[in-house]
Amino acid sequence: MYTAEMLSLIETVERTREKRLKEAFPRLSAAEKTNILQSYHPDHMKDSMRPVKVGPNAGEKMPHELVDVLESRSMIDVDGLALENIDYDVDVLVIGGGGAGTAAALLAAERGATVLLATKLRHGDANTMMAEGGIQAATKENDSPAIHYLDTMGGGGFQNIPQLVNALVQDAPICIQWLERLGCMFSKDPDGTLNTIHGGGTSRKRMHFAHDYTGAEIMRTLRDEARNRGIKVVEFSPAVELIKDDQGQCAGAVLYNLETEQYLIVRAKTVIIATGGSGRLHINDSPTTNHYGATADGLVMAYRAGAKLIYLDATQFHPTGVAFPEQIVGQLVTEKVRGLGAQLVNIDGEQFIYPLETRDVVSSAIFRECRERQKGIPVPSGYGVWLDSPMIEMLHGKGTIEKELPAMFRQFMRFGINMAEKPILVYPTLHYQNGGILINEDAESEIPNLYVAGEASGGVHGRNRLMGNSLLDIIVFGRRAGKNAAEKAKTVKLGKLTLEHTKSFNKELEQQGLGQRVAPILLPDYRGKISK
Amino acid sequence: MAAENKMVSIYIMGKQYEVPYGVTIMKAMEYAGYRFIRGCGCRGGFCGACGTVYRKPDSFRLKVGLACATMVEDGMHLTQIPFYPANRASYKLEELSPSLGTLLQHYPEVTRCLGCNQCTRICPQELSVMDYIAAAQRGDIEKTAHQSFDCIMCGLCASRCPAEIVQYNVGILARRLYGRHIAPRAAHLAERVGEIKAGKFNDELSRLMQMSKEELQRRYEARDIEQ
Ligand SMILES: Cc1cc2nc3c(=O)[nH]c(=O)nc-3n(C[C@H](O)[C@H](O)[C@H](O)COP(=O)(O)OP(=O)(O)OC[C@H]3O[C@@H](n4cnc5c(N)ncnc54)[C@H](O)[C@@H]3O)c2cc1C
Ligand code: SF4
Ligand code: SF4
Ligand code: FES
């Protein structure tokens, strides 16, 4: 329920709505974009980062919260653990049961590999389940993979790795077709034409969706298929360390059963890390949209094993996190709300940014509006700006919000706010890890037999991911990882299993006077607090 | 907010804790000292991990809700149901036909529905669960698929069903049958996939991949934007 003050401020928004409906706010020039990013985006704030002191990226700056986990020691007693007592012996070990991991497991199994999928929570409790807005692919006649390529590179600051983007855009339609055949209910016209809309930074309407449960629809479909295929899944058993063999190849992982508190040894010819992102590290003390298990575990394990990380100094803040009501602060308001025409508006009822600039730019504009220009709307957690959702009903007809954004609508109705009638309050929230473990177009890391897919990987999105390119990324590279890992497993000969790399990493930490903390942290600790 | 500092008493599995007023059950349990292993997934109403049974002090009625989306109230008694050993059928989707027979073969228990409406009354997504089960009984796969679409598979309906129907598993079977076998295929998609497999875009993309940052940027700024 809005407070009386908020309700009176809403009248200002309502007063300017008619005029704004006809008003197109100018897009920023390249120079203006650079300027606003450098002045307001947390990536450019000096005191939010420090150089990591150990490992393959030593000397490079990353957010403190990430450096903290990278500079932590292993939770395992390296000398005390008997690696000979193997609990699972498989061709392919997939770590992480989100969209990327499940797609990988399906493709690996299809190629005849024996697969184990180990995951931290339940299968499908993952960021993938939460994605609302959509998945990009150039499937329409006025669009092409080349245009998709250009949009993606531009969004990423032209720092994306070209081979990865090429794979992303060329595989995209193939992946949508794969999902269609698996029975994903994408929103379609009666003749089968897929519905598509714009997302921030797209030059064609190529965002495919399933109402606003796009990620949930993809995730539950893949999970259902994995169950049908009889793929072995162990839940509540996160990986805590990679195992290598005496030739330096990746050769499995140590799992930790969260319930029995026992370690399990997995020997695998190839390993796929698909552990997702790191929102629950609360970088910059920010609230986050991410699920409970997004704690950068994959980065920590791969880093210790010697894999190089890329672009982890680039963190994506989603411009429209919930700023009010307090109970759901930080949760996502999908970009689709802006895609459907809702404008961002300050306390005086004025627009201050073109709503579909890229996310980093829109977030920076909101920071500026609230901090420097003091035109934010006060909320218990600080400030917010209006997202004028009722415009959607005026542009597309009454009932559009309930039909196209049922998850969003329900979320606010639970707290007595009808977003079809009243604008909602938003503020940037920690959303996505733009970088990750460096991979090539075959989804291989620099460590032999170690593959990475999804949000845990880095390079494909450059320094800023476009909406809809992540759901795409997890399918494209999840499939590639699964297929390649299964093929590779056919020829792999493993030597003796070892944790020497963990030992020497621990030693490196000691030399630097580091390693007081333990990681991966597996689950955030909110005991005695009200979490963000 | 005026009520910000107010505290309320809640009873987690019978034990009393003082927690701030106005927060969700999930955040209140953490405040009380719990660190979830089970019973917590997305924290945002999408994954169905956090089904909770509760009762308010002045009522005999048992209610259910999502811990991440339900606010605590003074005197609330609660426990989570983190797991439910529900039945699930296995199938090869591509070999199935979208028919009543298929639904009944995999979930014969749908015919046992008593029409008690418990499932609809408790669904946190406010779905007409009984109606989609009724549609499934008639073999109306399209209706079952659409009406169950927003299901987050939290399992609360099944936990209360006297006929031991697992509504959400019936729902996903119907949706996958619909998506694969009934919904019209996207012709433009098939066409584009054909073009990609034939290598139609390879040359243009190789040129783009080799382009300097400056040239790419120039093209990016000049690209036309679909209205
Ligand atoms: C609220 C929200 C909305 C979004 N909307 C969109 C959108 O509209 N379009 C889009 O393209 N993208 C969107 N994204 C981004 C996108 O959903 C994610 O980036 C993507 O789904 C990540 O998939 P993944 O498989 O890499 O990771 P996840 O789906 O997060 O899966 C990782 C899995 O690994 C598990 N795990 C973690 N650590 C370990 C460990 N040590 N051992 C074993 N398992 C582990 C996790 O618990 C989880 O189950 C959104 C993200 C969020 C949070
Ligand atoms: S239909 Fe059942 S499983 Fe699905 S959301 Fe409703 S109560 Fe939960
Ligand atoms: S709870 Fe079970 S028996 Fe009752 S209406 Fe729902 S499906 Fe039928
Ligand atoms: S934690 Fe996912 S629905 Fe509550």
Side-chain angles (χ1 to χ4, degrees), chain A residues 151 224-225 259 327 523, chain B residues 22 35 38 71 91 176 223:
Chain A
D151 286 350
D224 196 60
E225 188 63 10
E259 291 171 316
Q327 289 89 351
L523 299 172
Chain B
R35 190 178 189 182
R38 288 187 184 260
M71 281 204 283
Y91 44 87
R176 293 194 63 199
R223 77 208 199 287

Side-chain angles (χ1 to χ4, degrees), chain A residues 391-448:
Chain A
M391 290 181 71
I392 296 174
E393 304 268 298
M394 298 170 80
L395 289 165
H396 304 280
K398 223 172 140 48
T400 306
I401 291 187
E402 220 183 320
K403 179 159 165 283
E404 289 300 330
L405 302 160
M408 243 26 287
F409 183 74
R410 190 176 279 128
Q411 188 72 296
F412 279 93
M413 277 310 258
R414 280 185 178 129
F415 300 98
I417 292 170
N418 181 345
M419 65 181 285
E421 288 170 7
K422 300 273 184 243
I424 53 180
L425 282 162
V426 297
Y427 196 74
T429 178
L430 176 56
H431 188 52
Y432 185 78
Q433 174 186 291
N434 289 307
I437 305 161
L438 178 64
I439 55 168
N440 65 17
E441 67 265 40
D442 293 326
E444 291 170 313
S445 75
E446 292 186 326
I447 300 174

Side-chain angles (χ1 to χ4, degrees), chain A residues 456-476:
Chain A
S457 74
V460 61
H461 305 294
R463 301 185 57 86
N464 176 56
R465 169 193 66 114
L466 296 186
M467 172 200 175
N469 266 353
S470 176
L471 281 179
L472 176 59
D473 158 19
I474 67 176
I475 306 299
V476 167

Side-chain angles (χ1 to χ4, degrees), chain A residues 317-337:
Chain A
F317 288 82
H318 195 293
T320 59
V322 175
F324 187 86
E326 189 65 2
Q327 289 89 351
I328 52 170
V329 161
Q331 285 182 24
L332 183 71
V333 176
T334 171
E335 192 161 302
K336 202 172 154 195
V337 178

Side-chain angles (χ1 to χ4, degrees), chain A residues 42-54:
Chain A
D43 285 357
H44 298 277
M45 304 294 129
K46 273 205 195 68
D47 44 4
S48 64
M49 304 206 200
R50 71 172 191 266
V52 55
K53 287 191 183 148
V54 289

Side-chain angles (χ1 to χ4, degrees), chain A residues 443-513:
Chain A
E444 291 170 313
S445 75
E446 292 186 326
I447 300 174
N449 304 350
L450 178 64
Y451 296 75
V452 187
E455 196 167 339
S457 74
V460 61
H461 305 294
R463 301 185 57 86
N464 176 56
R465 169 193 66 114
L466 296 186
M467 172 200 175
N469 266 353
S470 176
L471 281 179
L472 176 59
D473 158 19
I474 67 176
I475 306 299
V476 167
F477 290 96
R479 281 167 48 99
R480 283 179 176 238
K483 177 168 154 263
N484 295 333
E487 286 304 322
K488 180 81 185 280
K490 290 179 183 163
T491 60
V492 169
K493 293 268 173 298
L494 289 181
K496 189 174 176 324
L497 303 191
T498 153
L499 285 172
E500 276 308 315
H501 57 287
T502 315
K503 246 193 228 177
S504 59
F505 191 82
N506 279 349
K507 211 166 282 157
E508 205 183 333
L509 287 171
E510 230 168 86
Q511 281 161 5
Q512 296 282 344

Side-chain angles (χ1 to χ4, degrees), chain B residues 123-125 127 129 132 151-157 168:
Chain B
C123 175
Q125 293 288 85
L127 303 182
V129 189
Y132 83 62
C151 169
I152 57 171
M153 305 181 88
C154 68
L156 290 171
C157 50
Y168 52 95

